Amino acid sequence: MTSGWRGNGTGNSGINMNSDGVSFTASGDGIGAVTDLAKPIQLEDAIIDMVVNVSPEFKASGTSLQIFAQIKGGDWAGEWNCWSGNELLTAGTDTAITCTISEGDKKFNQLDSDVQIGVQAKGTPTGTVTIKSGKVTLKQTASSSSSTGSVYSANVNSLRELADFTIGVAVSNNDSPTYNILTNASEKALVEKHFEQMTAGNIMKMSYLQNTQGNFTFANADAFVDYAKSKNMTVHGHALVWHAEYQVPAFMKSWSGSAADFITALETHITTVVDHFEAKGNLHSWDVVNEALTDGNPSTFRAVDSTFYIKSGNSAIYIEKAFLAARAAAPEATLYYNDYNIEQNGAKMTKLEEMLTDFKARNIPIDGVGFQMHVCQNYPSASSIAAAMKRVVDKGLKVKITELDVAINQPYCDSYPANKVSTFTQSIALAQKKRYCEIIKAYIDTVPAALRGGISVWGTTDANTWLNDLYRTEFNNEKISWPLLFDSNYNDKPALRGFADALQGVACTNL
Ligand code: 9MR
């Protein structure tokens, strides 16, 4: 834990926060460490679990610890009955202690005040106490579709502060009037609190930037990138070249000139766009080519459904040309090839590996692979994900998770619709928490720090995910994919806690 805690108690000499936890010197009765849970917070009947480690001096002093919760301001009412006696503690050994917050008058369901929770020494202590981890489990269900107003708190002050690699999120600008990051205060608040990098969900794709040949329209993307910059966030550029029908400019689709001129037009797009955003100063990475491989076995370069392949003279040469143009325009930027399903470690990864080997042999500049990671709740396994990432790591290339989401319902997941989930129950929310944790853990365990390009989630809340749009018919217009870290009302989901647990080295559980 590196932030969010402070000392409490008269004469507290302060706390020490490092990767080991939060420590304080127990120099007197009531000395301890606390952290805030922001209102509104329904803490009544919540369980606070902590893992603590006390020094031999503390143990020898015979004193106890007390987890407590306290409503800030006013008369600072609190829960003080949670004793962890000295006999429960072993010097130098991690020990779990717990407290159920319970007050008859329910004043811990707070709308008006923040609540602080923490642990303090009682009696005449000496020595030090380290809080290795802390968890708050709220009583109410974690249903994100509930309209009861119940709110889950993942107790994460800021996700980005827990990670030593970049934590990002895809957001909209004018492609979604409702969820526009520039006008929706809730989007802004959430993005600014938890993330340090934004990816444009759509507006930096080709047709948004050069719909007609030679006519570049940067205003929307500029506003997006400038906003990020004003909040000290970087932008991950997405995507310079993508075959998907809806965003390939018409002039490219209907290209009737030579293949060589088509490649030149493609290079012009890349050079103009990368040059433009280089000048901003907060865009240092690009998805240069997106989804150029098929899902077949064996996988091949996409052909019949790719304007780029066809107009390049039925050739995949456009891929290397794109990387060369991007590198020329941005010598320092990190250049990624980005794709989906490669985490399943199959034929597609084999084809990708082949391309990486070939690029390396011929000095085609590429720095890493973007794993989109639109995954199911139960597939692929964390070990398959790790194995696929290792294949990229073994090439000495960076791995960035670029579009993470974990679908509860998805037509290609879990025998849908036979196993369709109709209600996002607490147990499903907690299973998703564990799944997020295991994915992040697989990434941390597999990708060495120097090769971590970071992790971005593909959207903020369950209300605004591409899955709801794409599968509108299958989902009968309901928003039932529930794939993200925040519910439709911008509240934390257990998934956020799972993400944080992995970052903090806490075991992945569905508790
Ligand atoms: O989130 C994007 C959605 O709003 C668009 O309609 C869609 C177009 O196909 O693209 C979505 O983002 C995709 C991303 O650009 C590339 N990887 C897959 C993403 C989900 O489809």
Side-chain angles (χ1 to χ4, degrees):
M1 286 176 266
T2 53
S3 67
W5 289 74
R6 61 180 181 279
N8 78 306
T10 312
N12 195 320
S13 61
I15 53 158
N16 180 22
M17 286 185 280
N18 56 43
S19 56
D20 209 27
V22 178
S23 305
F24 59 88
T25 302
S27 55
D29 187 52
I31 298 283
V34 291
T35 188
D36 287 338
L37 300 177
K39 67 179 177 186
I41 173 78
Q42 298 204 359
L43 214 54
E44 181 64 25
D45 292 331
I47 300 167
I48 302 178
D49 290 300
M50 287 185 184
V51 174
V52 294
N53 194 311
V54 300
S55 68
E57 296 76 21
F58 187 90
K59 175 72 184 174
S61 72
T63 53
S64 301
L65 288 174
Q66 182 189 43
I67 292 181
F68 66 99
Q70 198 174 24
I71 297 161
K72 295 179 77 175
D75 60 359
W76 290 72
E79 163 61 84
W80 306 104
N81 292 317
C82 294
W83 289 94
S84 300
N86 188 273
E87 70 283 359
L88 297 174
L89 307 168
T90 305
T93 300
D94 290 357
T95 308
I97 59 175
T98 189
C99 176
T100 300
I101 302 301
S102 177
E103 284 276 325
D105 61 3
K106 306 272 187 256
K107 62 189 173 214
F108 275 108
N109 288 346
Q110 270 300 310
L111 293 175
D112 302 331
S113 305
D114 296 341
V115 175
Q116 65 177 21
I117 61 164
V119 67
Q120 62 188 11
K122 293 304 293 175
T124 49
T126 54
T128 57
V129 176
T130 302
I131 307 167
K132 304 292 281 286
S133 67
K135 186 176 84 166
V136 179
T137 309
L138 302 188
K139 180 161 189 268
Q140 72 274 358
T141 61
S143 170
S144 72
S145 59
S146 118
S147 56
T148 61
S150 64
V151 174
Y152 171 88
S153 169
N155 193 22
V156 177
N157 286 330
S158 171
L159 199 57
R160 63 164 182 261
E161 286 176 11
L162 302 177
D164 51 13
F165 48 82
T166 305
I167 300 288
V169 60
V171 274
S172 305
N173 177 3
N174 69 327
D175 50 323
S176 169
T178 311
Y179 300 105
N180 186 340
I181 183 70
L182 303 180
T183 53
N184 179 325
S186 304
E187 286 278 316
K188 266 190 192 173
L190 197 146
V191 169
E192 289 171 19
K193 179 174 174 180
H194 287 292
F195 300 97
E196 61 200 309
Q197 182 171 78
M198 305 194 325
T199 305
N202 283 303
I203 61 159
M204 289 171 73
K205 292 171 183 170
M206 270 188 153
S207 63
Y208 290 82
L209 298 181
Q210 192 192 182
N211 198 29
T212 56
Q213 192 171 11
N215 179 21
F216 286 86
T217 47
F218 287 120
N220 289 320
D222 280 352
F224 182 90
V225 176
D226 291 344
Y227 162 74
K229 193 171 177 182
S230 75
K231 300 296 171 190
N232 289 320
M233 285 188 273
T234 56
V235 170
H236 175 65
H238 175 83
L240 290 170
V241 183
W242 187 25
H243 72 283
E245 178 70 13
Y246 91 107
Q247 51 80 60
V248 179
F251 80 87
M252 288 194 172
K253 286 186 201 163
S254 61
W255 191 266
S256 59
S258 69
D261 287 349
F262 180 80
I263 299 274
T264 304
L266 184 72
E267 289 168 339
T268 301
H269 179 85
I270 293 168
T271 309
T272 309
V273 169
V274 175
D275 272 350
H276 179 87
F277 292 109
E278 269 290 282
K280 296 276 181 194
N282 63 326
L283 203 152
H284 314 293
S285 59
W286 284 98
D287 292 331
V288 177
V289 176
N290 192 39
E291 302 176 15
L293 301 173
T294 66
D295 296 306
N297 186 5
S299 172
T300 57
F301 289 116
R302 243 176 234 282
V304 288
D305 56 347
S306 168
T307 292
F308 302 106
Y309 187 94
I310 296 167
K311 303 295 182 185
S312 300
N314 289 320
S315 161
I317 194 163
Y318 75 89
I319 302 176
E320 63 196 67
K321 293 291 187 191
F323 276 95
L324 287 162
R327 172 61 84 238
E332 305 295 329
T334 309
L335 306 181
Y336 290 97
Y337 171 79
N338 193 49
D339 216 327
Y340 64 89
N341 281 0
I342 48 176
E343 69 280 359
Q344 297 178 21
N345 194 8
K348 204 167 181 179
M349 177 50 89
T350 299
K351 179 68 184 170
L352 172 57
E353 224 171 22
E354 222 177 273
M355 183 185 94
L356 298 175
T357 306
D358 171 48
F359 277 16
K360 196 166 187 185
R362 294 189 296 118
N363 283 325
I364 306 297
I366 181 168
D367 301 305
V369 171
F371 285 69
Q372 292 186 5
M373 295 279 289
H374 297 291
V375 296
C376 308
Q377 167 63 24
N378 299 310
Y379 187 83
S381 68
S383 57
S384 300
I385 293 169
M389 289 179 176
K390 178 146 192 318
R391 290 168 75 169
V392 174
V393 166
D394 287 347
K395 296 233 164 284
L397 292 174
K398 289 195 169 186
V399 174
K400 183 175 177 72
I401 296 183
T402 49
E403 306 182 15
L404 179 62
D405 50 24
V406 176
I408 299 302
N409 286 311
Q410 210 261 52
Y412 301 103
C413 294
D414 300 324
S415 315
Y416 186 93
N419 292 333
K420 176 181 169 182
V421 173
S422 303
T423 312
F424 190 65
T425 60
Q426 183 172 24
S427 69
I428 290 168
L430 293 174
Q432 187 184 44
K433 161 184 174 264
K434 185 172 184 218
R435 173 73 164 147
Y436 261 99
C437 181
E438 286 171 347
I439 291 169
I440 309 305
K441 182 170 165 27
Y443 178 77
I444 294 170
D445 289 349
T446 310
V447 184
L451 295 181
R452 289 181 200 147
I455 300 180
S456 294
V457 285
W458 201 245
T460 51
T461 77
D462 286 347
N464 181 28
T465 154
W466 68 287
L467 291 157
N468 292 341
D469 294 333
L470 191 64
Y471 301 121
R472 221 170 263 283
T473 312
E474 291 86 341
F475 290 174
N476 199 19
N477 278 330
E478 289 182 278
K479 299 185 172 182
I480 55 167
S481 56
W482 300 296
L484 293 167
L485 302 177
F486 303 92
D487 74 14
S488 298
N489 298 317
Y490 292 91
N491 298 315
D492 298 354
K493 286 169 61 189
L496 177 64
R497 186 61 250 162
F499 199 131
D501 278 349
L503 294 176
Q504 294 179 291
V506 174
C508 299
T509 71
N510 58 354
L511 301 174

